[in-house]
Amino acid sequence: MVLLQRPHILLLLIDTHQFLQCWIAFGSANEEGQQQEEFSEELLVKPLPDHKLLAHFHFQSSAPPSTSNGCHHHLFPKAISQLVQKFRVKEMELSFTQGRWNYESWGGFDPISSSNAKPPGVELWAVFDVPQHHIDASWKNLTHTLSGLFCASINFLESTATYSTPEWSFPPASGNVRYGTLPCEAVCTENLTPWLKLLPCRDKAAIALLLDRPSLYRGFYHSQRLHLTSTESSSEGIDSGIILEQTLTVVLQPNSERAIEVHASEKHVQPSWSLSSIFGKQVSGRCVLAKSSSVYLLLDRGLVAELKFPNKENGKSAANGLTSENFWSNPSFELSVNPDRIFLEESSSHSKSLSILYMFQVEKYSESEPFDIGLMWKVPVAWLCQQTPLHASRFFMGSGNERGAIAISLKSTQFTEGFMSANSKDGSCELRVDVFQVVPWYVKVYFHSLRVFVDQQPRAVSDFIEKIHVSPSKDKMSPGVMEVVLKLPCRVNTAALTIEFDKGFLRIDEYPPDANQGFDIPSAIISFPNFHASMVFLEDDSLNRSPLLSKFQEKCPVMSYTEVLLVPLTTPDFSMPYNVITIKCTVFALYFGSLLNVLQRRVAEEERFLKAKAAKKTGRLPLLLSKLSAKLRGRRREPLHSPPSSSSFINSKLVLKVILVAGLAVGWQYFFS
Amino acid sequence: MAEISEAPDSDSSKLLGSDSKAPQRPDSEPEFDPKLMRKTKPGLKRLFLTFSVLFSFLLGFPFLWKSVEIYRSPLPFREIDSLSTQLRSDTLLFPLHFHALFVGFDSDPDRLRWSILSEITKLTSQNPKCSDNYTLSVTVDLGSRCLRGPTSSPHSSSYQCGSVTGDDFVQNDDVVVDERLASVFGGKNNEYSMAVVKGVSERAVVGKYRHAWMVVGDGSDVEMAVVKVAEVLIKVFINGGREEGLIRNEFMPVGADGKIVLSFNLLNADPHDWVYDWDFEKIDDTLLTPMIEALGPVANISVESQVLYHTPKASFSYWNQKLESYVFSTKDLPFFVNSNEWHLDTSIAAGGRSKILQFAVYVPSAKECPLLLQLPNGEISKTNGFISPMWGGVIVWNPQGCLKDSEFKPSAKNIIPIQDLENMFEVFIGQFRQLFGFKSLNVYTGASGDWNLLPSERGFTEWELDVLSRQHTCFNLHSCATTLGSLSRLVQSLPRMIIKDEIGKQVKLSLEAAKLALSNASSGVYEFSAASSSQARSLAEDAFFHPSIMSVSYYSFEHCFAVYSPFFLPVSMHVVLAALRELRRYKQEKAKYLAWKAKANTAT
């Protein structure tokens, strides 16, 4: 305080007027220091080209830096703040996703898709503000806490074999990042309810009322994300402020009644929809605790280009006279509610046409007059969303349970060719692609076998790979991580990376209960650092800026996730150990038994005994028989040669025995079947 | 050896063979029957072999046993037993020193002492768990000199004669008197003092520190005073002024790790009507921090707060025309707390076994606004709150606006007035005291009359803290002994259980801490004994709930049996049968040989 004032006194000597200004500035800074916890809620709706609808809920809570050590809260969720305080989390993102974002038809070049399209299952990354050797412990504790908080098995990310440490390719580039995914985690309402609990109004009022579980989970894509950043605390004692951003992105199919009636000729008409028809609920009133609650309708660049707004050619000059009605009473569609404001995008470098944003303020509506926006299409419209420069997909090659190869193929989407050439400098146009791939340890990747194919021609790796970072997997210890920076020529049509692997063997207790399902290889992250997805909308009051729109303005690199791969490993027979034990023991027992038998056998004595027995036996039945036969034949009894007869007798005994055993077996079978 | 034994054996077989083959020469050995007799000594070779196999197996068993043995850290079972027997046999005695001072009386101190002691024994109810070992000294202050009894008591000697006079008690301000007595008796030593003064205005007051005083009229006799003195010493200073059976004495809302988290929640039932916020930080500094510091020796307390919205209560209230308010009756109280909507989260900041006490301020919605709680006798609760033992407390706070008829239009955000907030937190402190078993009234009604209890600004007076730490020590030691006892029973009943070294260490440390607590308690150092007893308890709980104990069933005896029986069962059958057969045969053969020998002897 004293230190701060000293320059002001100096300033006073120079110019009193300036001093006054300084004081005003200081005062406002003071007010900012005591700012309140804030909350705002927004919903963005956007029609998608394939007759679907994107709804993007955005809730933002912020807690200013305070001295209360994160114990006292008015709006901000206590649990999150305590989590940040306890584990010194600098930044964290947790997403629960079901379904796969369709980059081809839903776009990949806008802020929504590049920051909200997430891989299926759970993805968690966190940056910690702790010394290097404490990070792993913090991560473990964090995963356990989060799994308790969100009723998910995030605690499986605890073991070092499941998470990785990206060095530089992962966006929040810093050494303290930990990244882990659970691709096969099922996401359902039990994850949504604790997520909603973090909102001050939960799902009791305003926009969150729309979160009707059956309609949400019926959708094609559902991603629930939680992102928090804690601002740096400058001095000791004052803890950091936190910004918590919760988004829920769903892609739904509006099924209006009209869609059934459409004639074959009208097949291409987009389905008309309203909030109540999609979600089955309406927005009644606002959450009184929210600083702002508004609903936006976004018309894509491609869609706007198709719609032929009357003054489209005038471009930006028309933006000033934006209130003119022709923006929302278009011949091709009709809005059921008049928008409160219309934003036009500022000129974007990547596309000729500009997107339009309609804003509806929920504050005006009440329970008696609920808010329900609807869009009715009059003419068929078809357009394409702006796509990522390269479309990425990943697949397996090879067969069998021994080895295979992973291929990441990048295919140029002709869509962005126009501005790619604009990006080029002096003819040496290059397209930078970052690839981040984590493979579990049981997929033993041979990094030397990395091969690059450009335009279907095998090329030297060093020609296209600018930078590569590899950390090989350690058995049961850590996964393999590969970070590659590719420099491709702009005119490239296809590019592919292949890498070979051997399938490892797991111990019997390392198999999951559904071992035959296969093992998931987490999605690779393909990012294009030279391309930034941002949408800048002209806004009058920069003070009262909406968090969603300011989020759109941030320059985030275009990112896309590849598919999750399912690798089948050899599944053992799980009763094997016991079988092995039993058979081994039986063999040993047999060996011991026979050994003992041999040791104590008295050969001579036994022979003698047998002979005595044989002598005895021959004295009876065979003797009688021979007597009988002799009598029958009327001949004198010959001296008996026992061997043949006794052998036949033994044979008959053997037959008897066999019959007995067979009878037993049949009886057994009969009894047990 | 083998060859040597081989030779006669083969000889014998040859001999026997020739015997059997040569029936034509029976005359040489007239009575020889090969079935009953033999001429040679039976061979020992096979017997030796089979028995060596058997013995090597038997010798191998200890090695096998050793190899499949699981690691069990040795636990001091005997010491655990001795600790629990020591606690059970009532040797946990807290020494207490009473000092009764009679000013303006002219009686024999020894006689007074005996009469007080006899009264005390009448009143003492035997606490089943912990008892007290008290000593009493009596001083009769005659102004210029003192009569002490017993004369050689080390405790009463600190008192300076004539430092307390009847004039000190003339003024009506009890707090001033209390401070005056505190300076006389000194705050440091753990002595409970009781001053009986003759004066004009009759009063009986228990101070904030460790003393009480009583002003009796001139005419009253000593016997009456003696009864009251004995009662205050026993009922107030020892038992904390609480009644038996209100809340069970051993109930202490303290977590196993000696921590309590006080979680304060402001619940706005319906934010559409009004939203109230509070200035919690201020209240925390002024009201809660002194109390938390005071309770330091008993528990480590942390405080957190949050404001929740859309939190209706779970049950309905009814409009009462006479009171012009909504009334919630006591019989519905179990349904007041709405666990579905009240997200009074467990704290992440708190460790695993801390006790979390929830305190909730419920701001009713406009639909049910003046909401009052009704006692079972039909009266309206003054505090408008209730407690739930071991859970916490709830207060209903009706905003100003709803009492008048919609005059007040609440703005979007209101702050609870600081005056109301202070009242609320006083109630909370009262509830907190109740959770610890103390009364929140400041009058103690005994059998022999009423006592005024001076409240402390720290929430708990010094003698109450003494009661708490004694009780805490007692509770902790007993719980530690039971936990360790269960652990030792468990360990002894499951011989296949793995016990890690860590558990053994924890048990040892816990026993040491318990012993330290016992010795501290018997020397009267309450604070240290409370601290080490809670340490003993938490270590015992740590040992009992150690995660490795959970893995017992994974290496059970059945498992071991299932793995080894396919080998050992058939093999041992072979070996044992072979040994038996060989032994039987040897005996038989030997009998034959002996028979032949006997015959040969008789023949010769």
Side-chain angles (χ1 to χ4, degrees):
Chain A
M1 193 67 180
V2 176
L3 282 173
L4 278 171
Q5 270 176 355
R6 193 163 292 158
H8 298 160
I9 295 161
L10 287 173
L11 280 170
L12 176 74
L13 298 173
I14 303 159
D15 192 354
T16 45
H17 180 67
Q18 215 168 355
F19 175 61
L20 258 176
Q21 274 187 337
C22 270
W23 261 115
I24 291 160
F26 195 63
S28 68
N30 244 1
E31 262 173 32
E32 233 167 64
Q34 288 173 348
Q35 61 187 210
Q36 294 292 305
E37 291 170 3
E38 276 174 2
F39 170 71
S40 67
E41 48 173 13
E42 279 144 312
L43 165 65
L44 182 128
V45 187
K46 176 183 160 188
L48 293 173
D50 59 346
H51 294 203
K52 294 192 179 69
L53 189 76
L54 170 85
H56 177 68
F57 294 84
H58 184 272
F59 304 97
Q60 183 165 319
S61 318
S62 64
S66 70
T67 48
S68 65
N69 202 21
C71 291
H72 307 304
H73 292 284
H74 303 280
L75 272 178
F76 197 80
K78 186 174 83 171
I80 293 295
S81 151
Q82 283 178 343
L83 186 127
V84 170
Q85 299 299 329
K86 193 166 185 183
F87 305 120
R88 318 283 323 149
V89 179
K90 218 151 112 197
E91 197 174 355
M92 185 191 97
E93 189 176 89
L94 172 69
S95 68
F96 297 89
T97 312
Q98 214 174 33
R100 193 175 122 66
W101 181 264
N102 190 345
Y103 284 97
E104 274 167 331
S105 51
W106 301 342
F109 206 104
D110 50 335
I112 297 178
S113 61
S114 59
S115 64
N116 289 298
K118 288 282 164 194
V122 170
E123 187 198 45
L124 172 72
W125 58 260
V127 186
F128 295 96
D129 189 19
V130 291
Q132 203 70 35
H133 56 280
H134 286 315
I135 292 179
D136 286 318
S138 291
W139 167 267
K140 277 172 195 173
N141 288 330
L142 178 73
T143 53
H144 276 266
T145 313
L146 285 176
S147 81
L149 207 58
F150 288 102
C151 298
S153 33
I154 307 173
N155 56 325
F156 285 128
L157 290 177
E158 173 211 41
S159 82
T160 49
T162 49
Y163 67 88
S164 56
T165 313
E167 281 296 316
W168 35 261
S169 81
F170 202 67
S174 121
N176 297 352
V177 187
R178 292 291 180 276
Y179 173 87
T181 53
L182 293 172
C184 52
E185 175 79 9
V187 180
C188 203
T189 39
E190 79 261 23
N191 307 117
L192 184 67
T193 310
W195 184 85
L196 281 172
K197 234 166 74 176
L198 303 176
L199 305 174
C201 283
R202 302 206 299 286
D203 55 348
K204 298 281 175 203
I207 290 171
L209 261 182
L210 292 175
L211 296 171
D212 174 47
R213 311 300 197 280
S215 35
L216 279 188
Y217 291 100
R218 209 160 42 207
F220 290 85
Y221 176 81
H222 166 266
S223 173
Q224 157 197 336
R225 199 171 67 102
L226 179 136
H227 182 113
L228 63 88
T229 25
S230 68
T231 50
E232 289 286 323
S233 53
S234 50
S235 58
E236 292 293 312
I238 292 181
D239 50 47
S240 49
I242 309 162
I243 294 173
L244 172 70
E245 185 193 312
Q246 289 173 263
T247 64
L248 180 76
T249 314
V250 277
V251 174
L252 300 165
Q253 175 83 64
N255 46 349
S256 61
E257 295 85 47
R258 239 196 71 189
I260 305 158
E261 300 165 11
V262 280
H263 304 292
S265 59
E266 286 181 1
K267 214 189 256 171
H268 298 296
V269 176
Q270 289 269 332
S272 302
W273 52 264
S274 68
L275 284 185
S276 56
S277 79
I278 307 166
F279 293 107
K281 284 183 178 174
Q282 291 169 321
V283 180
S284 58
R286 66 191 191 104
C287 171
V288 273
L289 307 153
K291 200 181 85 184
S292 67
S293 62
S294 30
V295 175
Y296 298 93
L297 171 69
L298 177 71
L299 299 185
D300 228 16
R301 288 162 190 157
L303 178 59
V304 171
E306 284 296 315
L307 286 178
K308 298 188 188 68
F309 282 102
N311 43 5
K312 181 190 130 197
E313 282 76 25
N314 296 354
K316 203 182 163 187
S317 62
N320 298 330
L322 205 61
T323 41
S324 57
E325 293 198 351
N326 48 22
F327 266 97
W328 49 272
S329 66
N330 192 276
S332 47
F333 71 92
E334 196 179 328
L335 286 177
S336 68
V337 182
N338 291 359
D340 294 309
R341 288 180 66 190
I342 300 173
F343 298 106
L344 194 61
E345 194 188 359
E346 271 187 56
S347 61
S348 77
S349 54
H350 300 326
S351 177
K352 274 175 228 139
S353 57
L354 306 165
S355 44
I356 295 177
L357 192 69
Y358 299 89
M359 181 176 129
F360 307 88
Q361 269 168 342
V362 181
E363 279 95 337
K364 296 192 301 186
Y365 301 90
S366 65
E367 248 170 273
S368 52
E369 189 200 345
F371 170 75
D372 186 13
I373 171 191
L375 182 84
M376 182 120 102
W377 293 98
K378 293 175 187 161
V379 289
V381 191
W383 77 98
L384 282 175
C385 277
Q386 211 171 356
Q387 299 198 4
T388 49
L390 297 172
H391 177 71
S393 66
R394 196 177 58 166
F395 51 87
F396 269 136
M397 302 194 299
S399 62
N401 276 336
E402 214 177 336
R403 57 180 65 90
I406 304 175
I408 298 174
S409 107
L410 304 163
K411 207 180 279 174
S412 169
T413 53
Q414 304 297 327
F415 201 81
T416 43
E417 213 169 60
F419 59 83
M420 226 184 266
S421 54
N423 246 14
S424 65
K425 300 160 211 151
D426 316 328
S428 64
C429 167
E430 277 187 331
L431 175 62
R432 185 178 157 182
V433 183
D434 287 9
V435 179
F436 173 68
Q437 167 77 66
V438 180
V439 273
W441 65 265
Y442 39 80
V443 173
K444 293 181 171 135
V445 170
Y446 296 113
F447 289 104
H448 73 270
S449 66
L450 182 71
R451 250 178 245 131
V452 179
F453 295 84
V454 175
D455 289 331
Q456 294 170 343
Q457 297 297 314
R459 306 290 286 268
V461 168
S462 52
D463 292 352
F464 293 97
I465 291 182
E466 191 186 65
K467 205 169 155 192
I468 183 163
H469 170 254
V470 155
S471 72
S473 60
K474 272 181 231 151
D475 272 11
K476 292 161 188 133
M477 284 294 290
S478 65
V481 181
M482 183 177 77
E483 294 166 84
V484 182
V485 174
L486 284 173
K487 274 272 157 89
L488 299 171
C490 289
R491 296 283 163 200
V492 69
N493 270 327
T494 58
L497 287 175
T498 65
I499 190 159
E500 285 169 18
F501 65 85
D502 271 1
K503 293 178 185 176
F505 284 106
L506 273 78
R507 274 202 343 234
I508 194 154
D509 52 349
E510 282 161 352
Y511 282 93
D514 52 348
N516 286 305
Q517 191 217 338
F519 290 80
D520 293 290
I521 295 186
S523 300
I525 305 174
I526 314 288
S527 56
F528 305 92
N530 292 345
F531 296 91
H532 295 284
S534 66
M535 278 193 215
V536 185
F537 290 97
L538 296 166
E539 269 185 288
D540 311 335
D541 44 352
S542 55
L543 283 172
N544 215 350
R545 167 146 286 184
S546 128
L548 180 64
L549 296 190
S550 45
K551 193 83 206 158
F552 280 178
Q553 286 189 14
E554 279 173 24
K555 280 198 157 194
C556 58
V558 174
M559 247 166 67
S560 66
Y561 288 85
T562 62
E563 300 91 339
V564 170
L565 289 179
L566 200 61
V567 45
L569 293 187
T570 37
T571 319
D573 172 12
F574 288 105
S575 61
M576 195 73 150
Y578 282 97
N579 294 350
V580 167
I581 287 172
T582 322
I583 211 159
K584 194 182 70 189
C585 291
T586 314
V587 168
F588 268 104
L590 274 177
Y591 169 74
F592 260 94
S594 49
L595 195 74
L596 271 177
N597 238 352
V598 165
L599 276 178
Q600 53 167 193
R601 168 162 277 171
R602 291 173 175 81
V603 183
E605 200 179 301
E606 268 170 33
E607 265 175 12
R608 204 169 63 231
F609 185 69
L610 269 177
K611 244 176 226 167
K613 224 178 188 179
K616 222 182 248 171
K617 267 195 186 142
T618 46
R620 279 223 188 132
L621 216 137
L623 207 69
L624 271 176
L625 277 174
S626 61
K627 266 185 183 169
L628 200 76
S629 63
K631 256 188 189 164
L632 280 173
R633 285 177 200 162
R635 255 188 276 164
R636 257 210 74 177
R637 183 167 74 96
E638 285 163 313
L640 191 92
H641 297 290
S642 57
S645 78
S646 77
S647 76
S648 74
F649 184 71
I650 284 165
N651 277 349
S652 70
K653 219 164 118 185
L654 194 77
V655 168
L656 258 176
K657 266 182 190 169
V658 166
I659 286 168
L660 187 73
V661 166
L664 270 177
V666 166
W668 179 274
Q669 278 291 326
Y670 178 76
F671 186 73
F672 280 99
S673 65
Chain B
M1 184 70 203
E3 279 167 29
I4 297 168
S5 64
E6 181 80 43
D9 203 51
S10 57
D11 269 351
S12 81
S13 63
K14 267 181 217 156
L15 276 176
L16 281 172
S18 61
D19 279 348
S20 60
K21 268 189 225 158
Q24 64 265 35
R25 30 171 206 145
D27 46 2
S28 61
E29 304 285 343
E31 284 110 348
F32 182 77
D33 182 2
K35 278 192 183 144
L36 293 174
M37 288 171 215
R38 61 182 285 165
K39 285 176 185 167
T40 49
K41 253 187 163 177
L44 278 170
K45 188 178 67 183
R46 287 181 173 79
L47 187 71
F48 177 76
L49 267 175
T50 43
F51 269 85
S52 67
V53 169
L54 180 67
F55 279 118
S56 63
F57 260 85
L58 290 180
L59 280 177
F61 257 110
F63 288 103
L64 178 82
W65 200 246
K66 192 81 190 161
S67 73
V68 300
E69 195 184 41
I70 44 179
Y71 183 71
R72 281 163 75 88
S73 164
L75 292 188
F77 296 117
R78 197 176 300 146
E79 285 177 52
I80 293 171
D81 285 345
S82 77
L83 176 72
S84 50
T85 47
Q86 196 182 349
L87 285 173
R88 215 178 300 127
S89 64
D90 226 348
T91 49
L92 183 61
L93 292 174
F94 293 102
L96 299 172
H97 308 296
F98 298 137
H99 177 215
L101 172 71
F102 289 84
V103 180
F105 287 86
D106 189 11
S107 352
D108 178 29
D110 281 320
R111 201 179 56 79
L112 280 175
R113 183 162 175 267
W114 284 119
S115 51
I116 292 175
L117 279 178
S118 68
E119 285 295 326
I120 284 176
T121 36
K122 260 189 242 168
L123 285 168
T124 313
S125 63
Q126 203 56 44
N127 189 330
K129 293 217 156 161
C130 300
S131 54
D132 311 289
N133 180 17
Y134 44 80
T135 53
L136 174 71
S137 60
V138 174
T139 310
V140 177
D141 193 345
L142 298 170
S144 51
R145 66 196 174 85
C146 295
L147 299 173
R148 293 176 201 269
T151 33
S152 60
S153 169
H155 299 290
S156 59
S157 53
S158 61
Y159 174 69
Q160 299 269 313
C161 284
S163 43
V164 175
T165 58
D167 300 335
D168 292 330
F169 300 90
V170 172
Q171 51 194 318
N172 264 328
D173 192 354
D174 287 339
V175 179
V176 177
V177 176
D178 192 36
E179 295 300 329
R180 167 93 185 92
L181 282 178
S183 67
V184 169
F185 292 120
K188 268 292 129 198
N189 59 349
N190 296 333
E191 182 182 65
Y192 295 96
S193 313
M194 176 72 223
V196 184
V197 185
K198 276 195 175 158
V200 196
S201 55
E202 289 200 19
R203 281 206 311 279
V205 182
V206 180
K208 299 188 278 199
Y209 304 100
R210 296 190 176 95
H211 49 254
W213 68 91
M214 188 166 70
V215 183
V216 293
D218 266 333
S220 58
D221 59 340
V222 185
E223 293 309 314
M224 191 59 210
V226 161
V227 172
K228 291 191 80 169
V229 165
E231 192 183 45
V232 86
L233 288 179
I234 293 299
K235 293 284 184 192
V236 178
F237 284 142
I238 291 184
N239 287 345
R242 44 187 148 185
E243 274 154 35
E244 305 289 326
L246 188 67
I247 285 180
R248 268 177 51 225
N249 264 353
E250 59 264 36
F251 258 5
M252 289 283 280
V254 181
D257 55 353
K259 282 183 188 157
I260 306 178
V261 177
L262 299 183
S263 169
F264 288 91
N265 306 280
L266 176 60
L267 307 170
N268 284 292
D270 192 352
H272 287 297
D273 299 327
W274 41 62
V275 176
Y276 276 92
D277 204 345
W278 55 9
D279 191 3
F280 191 86
E281 284 87 344
K282 203 177 276 173
I283 284 295
D284 186 20
D285 291 344
T286 55
L287 279 174
L288 294 177
T289 315
M291 185 186 79
I292 288 165
E293 277 169 13
L295 280 173
V298 177
N300 184 359
I301 303 177
S302 58
V303 175
E304 53 192 46
S305 80
Q306 63 179 341
V307 184
L308 297 174
Y309 309 91
H310 292 285
T311 50
K313 64 183 188 326
S315 184
F316 296 108
S317 54
Y318 302 98
W319 175 251
N320 188 322
Q321 193 60 49
K322 207 166 71 194
L323 294 163
E324 290 201 326
S325 53
Y326 291 89
V327 169
F328 195 88
S329 60
T330 322
K331 67 174 196 303
D332 291 331
L333 271 188
F335 309 105
F336 192 92
V337 175
N338 185 349
S339 46
N340 285 335
E341 305 279 355
W342 296 16
H343 295 297
L344 315 172
D345 276 329
T346 52
S347 175
I348 292 174
R353 289 197 295 280
S354 313
K355 180 75 204 166
I356 296 175
L357 291 178
Q358 309 277 4
F359 289 100
V361 180
Y362 180 77
V363 182
S365 62
K367 282 199 297 266
E368 41 165 24
C369 186
L371 180 67
L372 301 175
L373 300 180
Q374 195 176 33
L375 298 175
N377 59 7
E379 282 176 40
I380 294 300
S381 162
K382 279 189 193 118
T383 57
N384 221 10
F386 62 92
I387 64 163
S388 162
M390 302 302 278
W391 181 83
V394 175
I395 295 180
V396 178
W397 179 75
N398 295 306
Q400 280 293 308
C402 71
L403 299 174
K404 302 169 205 117
D405 274 330
S406 65
E407 283 284 306
F408 163 81
K409 194 72 197 159
S411 59
K413 246 188 177 172
N414 311 285
I415 304 284
I416 296 180
I418 196 78
Q419 188 57 46
D420 282 19
L421 201 59
E422 270 172 15
N423 290 341
M424 226 184 277
F425 274 78
E426 275 158 23
V427 175
F428 273 144
I429 288 176
Q431 291 188 337
F432 189 55
R433 285 168 54 86
Q434 276 186 323
L435 291 175
F436 272 106
F438 289 115
K439 284 186 175 176
S440 46
L441 288 176
N442 51 6
V443 174
Y444 171 72
T445 311
S448 58
D450 290 353
W451 287 82
N452 236 343
L453 307 182
L454 276 188
S456 166
E457 63 275 7
R458 303 197 301 170
F460 290 85
T461 61
E462 226 159 272
W463 56 267
E464 280 173 329
L465 287 175
D466 284 350
V467 172
L468 271 189
S469 50
R470 275 200 301 270
Q471 186 197 335
H472 190 57
T473 310
C474 174
F475 171 63
N476 277 339
L477 284 175
H478 276 101
S479 125
C480 167
T482 16
T483 313
L484 288 180
S486 323
L487 181 68
S488 83
R489 272 199 304 282
L490 178 79
V491 165
Q492 279 166 323
S493 69
L494 291 171
R496 303 292 304 168
M497 189 162 85
I498 299 165
I499 300 162
K500 288 195 172 170
D501 260 340
E502 208 177 327
I503 296 174
K505 206 185 283 170
Q506 276 164 344
V507 168
K508 204 178 282 170
L509 287 177
S510 164
L511 279 173
E512 275 167 19
K515 268 177 204 150
L516 189 68
L518 274 176
S519 71
N520 273 333
S522 51
S523 59
V525 198
Y526 297 148
E527 287 192 10
F528 288 115
S529 69
S532 48
S533 71
S534 73
Q535 196 191 352
R537 181 183 164 206
S538 76
L539 280 168
E541 300 265 330
D542 277 343
F544 191 79
F545 290 107
H546 197 274
S548 71
I549 286 193
M550 295 295 145
S551 63
V552 191
S553 53
Y554 290 138
Y555 199 70
S556 58
F557 182 70
E558 285 81 2
H559 184 97
C560 194
F561 187 78
V563 168
Y564 290 105
S565 64
F567 176 65
F568 281 102
L569 227 57
V571 167
S572 64
M573 231 168 71
H574 274 297
V575 173
V576 170
L577 281 183
L580 283 178
R581 205 166 56 206
E582 211 47 41
L583 192 68
R584 208 178 55 209
R585 191 195 136 89
Y586 176 75
K587 275 183 180 163
Q588 212 177 335
E589 295 297 315
K590 195 162 187 193
K592 278 188 194 170
Y593 174 67
L594 286 177
W596 178 79
K597 217 169 184 188
K599 200 149 250 175
N601 278 345
T602 48
T604 53

